[in-house]
């Protein structure tokens, strides 16, 4: 992976090579940081780069920081402006991933959240597919369980909680799968290692409610609206059992990195017709058009960079 050329660090845009922290940094030792992940999409015809729903992403980011007792000085609008300035400085003409991070920056020993300074950084890198097999992914149910709200809240996008996601992802990859689904302590389907999940069963789309230890995904929220308003299929939020997934007609995962990834096999069982289904196919097309700024009705989700 190529490194960024610039970083927003200590209140300024500086060369990435100068954005450095010491090894005693609290967040590096104890996982006391929160992060975000946004995409910007290059529209070649318009020569425009569109950031996707930055205000929603930064609102969630500020909320995540609040859970770790970090008050972010900037508003979502101001953070969006910083991200836009950074992307302009990089002068990207390609699809990009943007990574804001708020971290406990004191270089001290001692496990806690209080009485610690924090810093904010934002970097960006060119980015294409995250799940390479995104039209026919084969996923497994992880042997790991999702962190619970009373352990490390999944809705917080807390760096330390991504050790849990890392166990889940690596088990799947080492076993030859593309991704894994993870169950809650109660045994309901929660989400993937870094994506929300949707199942189509008998003409209804179901997705786990936000009380199932999921990250409250911006793509999830977008897709729920598109399924209802554009595709015309009802969407319900309800607990999902593992074996419902085996029997469903279509299954897909959503996330900033994963976008809309169609899953066609789960634990070696074919899903539906064994190929990507019509709901996922339509959704992928609409979502891609919207992200690239090609759908006037959803222009309010696109923030132009240039
Ligand atoms: N769940 C987890 C655990 C994630 O890390 C992500 C990626 N941010 C998602 C779901 C999807 O969220 P979003 O659509 O906001 O990227």
């Amino acid at each position: 992976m190529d490194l960024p050329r610039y970083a927003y660090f200590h209140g300024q845009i500086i060369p990435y090579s100068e954005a450095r922290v010491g090894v005693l940094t609290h967040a590096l030792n104890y996982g006391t940081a929160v992060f975000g992940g946004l995409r910007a999409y290059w529209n070649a015809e318009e020569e425009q780069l569109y950031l996707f729903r930055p205000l929603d992403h930064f609102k969630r980011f500020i909320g995540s920081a609040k859970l770790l007792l970090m008050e972010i000085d900037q508003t979502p609008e101001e953070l969006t402006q910083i991200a836009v300035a950074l992307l302009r400085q990089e002068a990207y003409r390609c699809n990009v991933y943007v990574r804001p991070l708020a971290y406990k920056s004191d270089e001290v020993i001692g496990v806690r959240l209080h009485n610690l300074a924090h810093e904010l950084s934002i970097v960006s890198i060119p980015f294409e597919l995250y799940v390479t097999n995104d039209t026919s992914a084969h996923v497994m149910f992880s042997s790991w369980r999702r962190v619970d709200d009373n352990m490390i809240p999944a809705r917080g996008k807390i760096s330390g909680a991504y050790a849990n996601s890392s166990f889940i992802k690596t088990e799947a990859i080492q076993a030859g799968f593309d991704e894994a689904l993870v169950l809650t302590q109660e045994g309901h389907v929660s989400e993937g290692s870094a994506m929300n999940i949707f199942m189509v069963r008998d003409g209804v789309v179901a997705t786990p409610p936000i009380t199932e230890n999921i990250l409250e995904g911006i793509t999830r929220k977008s897709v729920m609206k598109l399924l209802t308003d554009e595709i015309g299929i009802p969407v319900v939020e309800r607990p999902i059992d593992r074996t419902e997934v085996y029997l469903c007609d279509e299954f897909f995962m959503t996330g900033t990195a994963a976008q809309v990834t169609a899953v066609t096999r789960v634990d070696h069982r074919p899903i539906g017709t064994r190929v990507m289904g019509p709901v996922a196919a339509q959704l992928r097309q609409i979502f891609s058009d919207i992200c690239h700024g090609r759908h006037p009705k959803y222009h309010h989700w696109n923030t132009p960079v240039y």
Side-chain angles (χ1 to χ4, degrees), residues 37 57 60 146 157 162 165 191-196 215-220 254-256:
H57 276 281
R60 183 179 71 192
R146 189 74 179 118
K157 212 159 170 63
Y162 280 76
S165 292
E191 56 179 357
S193 67
M195 51 284 282
N196 296 115
L215 181 78
E216 297 175 11
I218 311 295
T219 320
R220 174 183 181 274
T254 67
T256 298

Side-chain angles (χ1 to χ4, degrees), residues 73 78 90 132 138 166 181 186 194 228 258 275 282 286-287 303:
D73 294 331
E78 287 165 343
E90 294 274 12
T132 41
H138 186 190
S166 302
L181 308 176
E186 291 73 37
T228 315
V275 294
Q282 274 186 78
I286 297 171
F287 187 68
T303 295

Side-chain angles (χ1 to χ4, degrees), residues 250-270:
E250 277 191 55
F251 194 87
F252 49 89
M253 308 184 292
T254 67
T256 298
Q259 303 176 104
V260 179
T261 291
V263 173
T264 54
R265 266 187 305 163
V266 179
D267 286 346
H268 303 281
R269 291 155 175 87

Side-chain angles (χ1 to χ4, degrees), residues 267-302:
D267 286 346
H268 303 281
R269 291 155 175 87
I271 298 299
T273 58
R274 297 170 184 263
V275 294
M276 176 165 65
V279 177
Q282 274 186 78
L283 190 59
R284 282 170 57 88
Q285 186 60 53
I286 297 171
F287 187 68
S288 170
D289 285 347
I290 290 173
C291 291
H292 288 87
R294 293 190 205 109
H295 203 312
K297 188 172 161 190
Y298 292 93
H299 255 329
H300 58 286
W301 286 355
N302 305 123

